């Protein structure tokens, strides 16, 4: 079903891969891309469970918008392992204005399709989604 605001549909694979990340932990992260010609959000890249934060950030293009989901694992102050599922709206300052507008107008509906997002980050440069930001938001 297309998003009325931007006309973007969400490919079924987007939800299926997210459910795998959430329920089975088969992915560390998922990077989503809007295919403007096909007018839909698709899965661009899947991160293996063994991959980490650096692998994830390396998948985000420096001058193009993306959506991403990251399964962030951490230890509490009591040394209890926990995880939080982050949704990241990546919209670098150097991206095309049209692209930023399409991603912004599609974000809420797309995020709503992914049931189980716990924390949202909006980032325009890498410092806004640094590991320290994940750690502080996770607690």
């Amino acid at each position: 079903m297309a998003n009325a605001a931007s006309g973007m549909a969400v490919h079924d694979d987007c939800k299926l891969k997210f459910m795998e990340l959430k329920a089975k932990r088969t992915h560390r992260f998922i990077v989503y891309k809007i295919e403007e010609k096909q007018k839909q959000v698709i899965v661009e890249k899947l991160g293996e469970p063994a991959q980490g934060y650096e692998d994830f950030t390396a998948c985000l293009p420096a001058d193009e918008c993306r959506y991403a989901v990251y399964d962030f694992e951490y230890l509490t102050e009591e040394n209890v392992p926990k995880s939080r599922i982050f949704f990241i709206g990546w919209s670098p300052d150097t991206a095309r204005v049209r692209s930023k507008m399409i991603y912004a107008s599609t974000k809420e509906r797309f995020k709503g399709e992914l049931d189980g997002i716990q924390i949202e980050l909006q980032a325009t440069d890498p410092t806004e989604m640094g590991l320290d930001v994940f750690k502080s938001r996770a607690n």
Side-chain angles (χ1 to χ4, degrees):
M1 187 169 128
N3 177 354
S6 68
M8 294 298 159
V10 176
H11 193 282
D12 289 343
D13 220 26
C14 294
K15 290 180 270 193
L16 291 171
K17 297 302 180 195
F18 178 75
M19 293 308 288
E20 289 173 6
L21 176 144
K22 185 174 94 168
K24 300 179 189 160
R25 303 275 191 237
T26 48
H27 313 295
R28 169 69 54 212
F29 60 85
I30 307 168
V31 178
Y32 299 98
K33 174 182 184 179
I34 290 179
E35 274 297 341
E36 286 188 46
K37 288 186 177 76
Q38 298 167 7
K39 294 201 177 315
Q40 68 177 347
V41 183
I42 60 164
V43 172
E44 182 180 50
K45 179 121 179 72
L46 296 170
E48 298 295 318
Q51 289 185 293
Y53 175 79
E54 288 77 20
D55 301 305
F56 165 63
T57 55
C59 293
L60 296 174
D63 57 357
E64 290 180 38
C65 300
R66 293 292 186 272
Y67 301 123
V69 172
Y70 186 78
D71 184 10
F72 179 67
E73 294 180 337
Y74 65 101
L75 290 174
T76 64
E77 288 179 16
E78 297 80 32
N79 276 338
V80 178
K82 289 204 169 201
S83 75
R84 291 276 186 263
I85 297 175
F86 279 78
F87 177 89
I88 298 100
W90 173 243
S91 184
D93 291 330
T94 52
R96 293 183 355 254
V97 172
R98 174 176 162 72
S99 177
K100 288 190 220 181
M101 288 172 56
I102 292 170
Y103 274 82
S105 66
T106 306
K107 183 178 83 171
E108 286 307 313
R109 180 180 177 280
F110 177 62
K111 199 175 72 177
E113 297 276 339
L114 307 178
D115 184 36
I117 299 287
Q118 294 164 308
I119 300 167
E120 179 183 345
L121 290 178
Q122 182 65 39
T124 57
D125 72 64
T127 62
E128 294 178 346
M129 50 173 270
L131 209 45
D132 55 328
V133 176
F134 275 83
K135 287 175 184 166
S136 70
R137 292 288 303 275
N139 288 319

